[in-house]
Amino acid sequence: MAPRRSTRRDELLYGLIEIFLAEGFSSSSLEDLAGRLQCSKSTLYAIAPSKEQLITVVTRAFFRRSTERVETSLAAADEPTDRISAYLDAIAAELAPASALFYADVDAFAPTREIYSRNVEIAARRVQELVRDAERPGRPVDAAFVGAVAAHVMSSIQQGRMRGLTGLDDAAAYRALAHLIVSGVAGAPVAEPSPEERQP
């Protein structure tokens, strides 16, 4: 099957993604965006009928594109533990261009905050699947717990808190998370908790 040809709408969406990642979206007007993309406001209105809806469309497009690229990178890895690293490294690469302004705007606008949170949840479930696939006989791993930890760390990374706590940039933090999870999956067996330890 021949690859789908890029449309003008795709080109504008990708251009908006790059602007939003670098500068955020709260301070730009539709006039500013149209001028920078060398199109008319009516062209942008054809994508979405308001600035708020345009922001939502562009944010969804960014995460959809990122997911496709991450899954492509994942498909190239064969070993189960390598797939964990490949997945988190690919997420880091996709998020590397995102500025603090972008994350601040995403967090401040309810629709984009919801999109972001939903994608973190999806990523956490994917990590759970990868951890289950990488489990070894005699070395059980609580995939649900690892997924929950991954979601918490990913949220902290993407909201800038991890950088403040550790000094690691986002890519380094994702690599550290991958190393931590892979070490836990491939490391020495851990004893099952006793019934007393399981009590809330």
Side-chain angles (χ1 to χ4, degrees):
M1 173 184 274
R4 183 173 63 86
R5 294 183 64 182
S6 176
T7 65
R8 177 58 173 158
R9 184 178 187 276
D10 292 333
E11 293 170 359
L12 291 173
L13 279 176
Y14 297 150
L16 289 166
I17 287 171
E18 302 312 313
I19 292 171
F20 287 6
L21 289 177
E23 304 169 17
F25 46 75
S26 62
S27 62
S28 296
S29 67
L30 286 178
E31 290 87 352
D32 294 334
L33 294 172
R36 295 178 65 177
L37 294 170
Q38 299 183 335
C39 69
S40 65
K41 282 177 61 178
S42 61
T43 302
L44 295 182
Y45 280 128
I47 298 174
S50 69
K51 180 186 174 184
E52 290 74 18
Q53 288 171 293
L54 181 66
I55 289 167
T56 302
V57 168
V58 173
T59 303
R60 285 200 183 104
F62 165 64
F63 280 107
R64 182 170 58 250
R65 184 184 73 175
S66 296
T67 298
E68 291 171 354
R69 290 176 172 177
V70 167
E71 289 297 328
T72 298
S73 297
L74 181 59
D78 295 322
E79 290 295 324
T81 51
D82 290 345
R83 285 170 61 78
I84 298 171
S85 296
Y87 183 72
L88 293 171
D89 286 348
I91 291 176
E94 288 302 311
L95 295 176
S99 65
L101 289 172
F102 173 74
Y103 287 126
D105 283 350
V106 165
D107 191 55
F109 185 46
T112 53
R113 186 169 63 245
E114 181 182 350
I115 293 168
Y116 157 70
S117 298
R118 187 161 60 248
N119 277 271
V120 169
E121 291 171 3
I122 292 168
R125 288 197 298 271
R126 197 72 172 99
V127 169
Q128 289 178 5
E129 295 171 1
L130 295 171
V131 167
R132 290 191 187 100
D133 291 342
E135 280 186 344
R136 299 181 179 183
R139 295 182 177 181
V141 179
D142 189 332
F145 175 76
V146 172
V149 170
H152 182 77
V153 173
M154 285 188 282
S155 292
S156 180
I157 292 170
Q158 294 172 7
Q159 293 171 5
R161 296 196 303 269
M162 187 62 67
R163 183 187 294 263
L165 290 169
T166 66
L168 296 174
D169 63 29
D170 292 1
Y174 269 96
R175 286 194 295 271
L177 176 61
H179 177 74
L180 182 65
I181 293 174
V182 169
S183 296
V185 171
V190 178
E192 285 287 316
S194 67
E196 292 77 16
E197 290 173 322
R198 293 179 183 274
Q199 296 300 316

